[in-house]
Amino acid sequence: MERGRGGGGRGIYWVLKNVLLGPAIDKIFRPVVEGRDHVPATGPAILASNHLSFADWLFMPLVLDRRVTFVAKSDYFTGVGVKGWAQRRFFAGTGQVPIDRTGGRASEGALRAGLKVLERGELFGIYPEGTRSHDGRLYKGRTGVARMALLAKVPVVPTAVIGTDVIAPPGKIITKIVSPTVRFGAPLDFSRYEGLESDRFILRSITDEIMYAIMELSGQEYVDLYAPAAKEAAAKEAAAAERDEISPQA
């Protein structure tokens, strides 16, 4: 179960963004931002983004004046000793809230955490794919983003972060210095579906609309599969190809 932080860590967030990390990241990578005016200056909204690299959650908030809150594994908040303390302060300070991702409760935990953030009138960042893309393509979105938008009655701002998979590919930290682009699209209003947050067909329709908008912004190829299933299939295909290569039989 998530443990709300009540919007805490704002002082640390400000220091990290404006003094310790933000200026250095901005100077080194020089991120390009497009459509920043589409993000509401005040009030709650969901920023729904593609997910190519762990660096996405650094660059998206960096180009905005407002704080963006994401969810993170509760493990990051339970460490002990000096390292555990530093890790807790870092993740809380960079706009993360902890959720328990075990026992199949990750989606419900993220939903509750997101609703609390939105109730405070803040921005909540979410990756509808649920995980990073392993091959740079855009995968089918989970419907939690749609349900959250309907329950909170807030707009969804489709977002694309481009180039972070070159900076930090899956499994790597930083391999190349390039300027990523953070692109925000026009807010999507789903108020016409108010009260239908339990209708799975409506939720799928909304989610598909969000993913289409992200695809338009990112220029990624869209794959109508969930990312984990596609990754597993790719791994099996690679393993089969390797077996074929080393097989002694003609």
Side-chain angles (χ1 to χ4, degrees), residues 41-102:
T42 59
I46 296 170
L47 304 183
S49 177
N50 63 334
H51 198 15
L52 295 171
S53 166
F54 80 90
D56 295 337
W57 63 267
L58 283 174
F59 288 108
M60 188 220 288
L62 181 66
V63 301
L64 295 174
D65 294 330
R66 299 183 64 188
R67 173 173 170 168
V68 183
T69 298
F70 299 86
V71 294
K73 293 187 297 184
S74 59
D75 300 17
Y76 292 139
F77 296 82
T78 57
V80 297
V82 175
K83 180 181 178 181
W85 177 85
Q87 186 169 265
R88 288 195 302 275
R89 300 306 294 171
F90 176 80
F91 279 95
T94 51
Q96 312 282 322
V97 291
I99 60 167
D100 184 351
R101 299 177 65 178
T102 62

Side-chain angles (χ1 to χ4, degrees), residues 163-233:
T164 50
D165 53 336
V166 177
I167 296 171
K172 307 291 183 180
I173 299 180
I174 294 178
T175 60
K176 194 173 183 180
I177 304 297
V178 300
S179 294
T181 296
V182 183
R183 189 174 290 150
F184 300 100
L188 302 175
D189 178 11
F190 298 109
S191 58
R192 62 191 183 277
Y193 297 120
E194 184 176 342
L196 299 176
E197 61 272 1
S198 297
D199 188 319
R200 62 189 182 93
F201 295 106
I202 293 296
L203 295 181
R204 173 45 57 194
S205 177
I206 291 173
T207 304
D208 288 346
E209 184 175 339
I210 293 169
M211 299 311 293
Y212 183 83
I214 294 173
M215 179 188 72
E216 291 273 279
L217 292 169
S218 69
Q220 292 169 275
E221 176 186 350
Y222 179 76
V223 182
D224 194 28
L225 290 173
Y226 290 119
K231 186 175 182 179
E232 183 179 351

